[in-house]
Amino acid sequence: MGEESRLAAVVALAQGMAAAHGSRDAWRAAAGGACRALGGSFAALSVWERELGRLRVLVNVGELAEGEEEFPEDESYPVHQFAEITEFLHERWAGGGEPDAWVETAEGPSAGRAGYCHQRVAALRRRGRGCCVVAPIVLHGRAWGELYVARPAGVPVFGRGDADFATVLAAVVAAGIAQTERLEEARRLAYTDSLTGLANRRAVDARLDEAVERHRRDGAVVSLVVCDLNGLKRVNDTLGHAVGDRLLERFGTVLSLCGAMLPGALAARLGGDEFCLLVVGPPADEVVKAADEVCRRAVELGIGDGVACGVASTEDPVGPVRSARRLFRLADAAQYRAKAERAAHPVVAGREGPDDPVVRLADEPSRAADGERRRFRGRHSP
């Protein structure tokens, strides 16, 4: 491959990683781009897990051998099997420069300085491959993992020039991984409540829109549990905001634990003393049961005055739910009634007959004028 072709391959790899949506796409783009650039038939990207003492495969691409999967759940190898990588496990790279790639063949060592590794050679032979090039990936000055590209038996083996090029590709992959990690951290922060670690209102908005669309498309049950933590102002005024924050954190833990009773539930803090559980799939009765557990455990926190909890579900007789806003209004109205009645258990919209007071309250045109109501902020407010 000429210099222009190699430059084009580097650019293509970088662009592929930049266009990735999430880590898995980035891993696939990295391994696939390197495989094409080096004329390989197979490539893998792996990460060193220092705390577990192993090399874990993140992705396999190309011609997979028997037992290999694109995204393996648990394909890993103890690092002691790879004597040539021991030096990469230092807390910081101590080699006095960038780590170089090397080549192994089914017959033994080739280009590079890593030397013979029985496990790699045996793996090449077992999988019908003739050679591989291994390039360490260094991120933030530390060994992060490795890029591995192989060719089948019977074709020319990698040479010194290929090893040098693999070193360059590994540096490009490292830059792409760093960018992906920064973007994912930014996304995580954008959709996470900083105090409780739960999802925030933005995350609920996005997930609920998708859930209601799924309900309209295929009838999936969508349920929303809205919780208003009682007594937070009194706690802040008498015991201080640090104790109030602790109450919010502890209730967030309660909500998360109870949400775990429901597969795929999203636990969120909407803001202030308002929280919610968004559930897609489980029957409404299971959601109500989990909400009742939330109420019970909130009382046991010892500070605050429990929680007012309202539930709305598309499975109950609440009328058509064509928008996220209406489900919010129903759950909000149920929570308001629970608070007004100091209810020890959840109030559920639609379960008091044809003229259900919660449904009627949710659908009243004048509801927005009620100055005593707490309002959900944002675009779902009525």
Side-chain angles (χ1 to χ4, degrees), residues 123-134:
L124 287 171
R125 293 172 179 169
R126 184 170 63 252
R127 292 165 179 163
R129 293 166 185 152
C131 63
C132 66
V133 59
V134 184

Side-chain angles (χ1 to χ4, degrees), residues 4 15 58 91 127 144 150 186 189 194 209 229 255 279 284 324 365 374 378:
E4 289 187 4
Q15 290 177 337
L58 300 173
E91 192 66 16
R127 292 165 179 163
W144 183 90
L189 293 174
S194 59
D209 281 340
L229 194 56
L255 190 68
V279 187
R374 278 188 180 267

Side-chain angles (χ1 to χ4, degrees), residues 272-363:
D273 55 5
E274 294 175 328
F275 293 77
C276 82
L277 277 176
L278 172 58
V279 187
V280 182
D285 284 345
E286 292 185 15
V287 177
V288 173
K289 180 179 178 181
D292 195 53
E293 184 70 7
V294 170
C295 293
R296 185 185 68 80
R297 294 196 184 198
V299 172
E300 296 176 352
L301 289 176
I303 54 175
D305 299 314
V307 65
C309 191
V311 182
S313 176
T314 59
E315 193 175 50
D316 284 320
V318 295
V321 177
R322 298 189 177 92
S323 69
R325 182 174 72 174
R326 184 159 192 273
L327 196 62
F328 256 125
R329 288 172 62 129
L330 288 162
D332 186 21
Q335 179 272 127
Y336 175 60
R337 188 175 186 204
K339 195 173 191 72
E341 296 180 352
R342 299 181 179 275
H345 302 280
V347 171
V348 185
R351 295 199 172 184
E352 293 189 33
D355 194 32
D356 184 272
V358 171
V359 176
R360 188 173 67 250
L361 176 62
D363 292 340

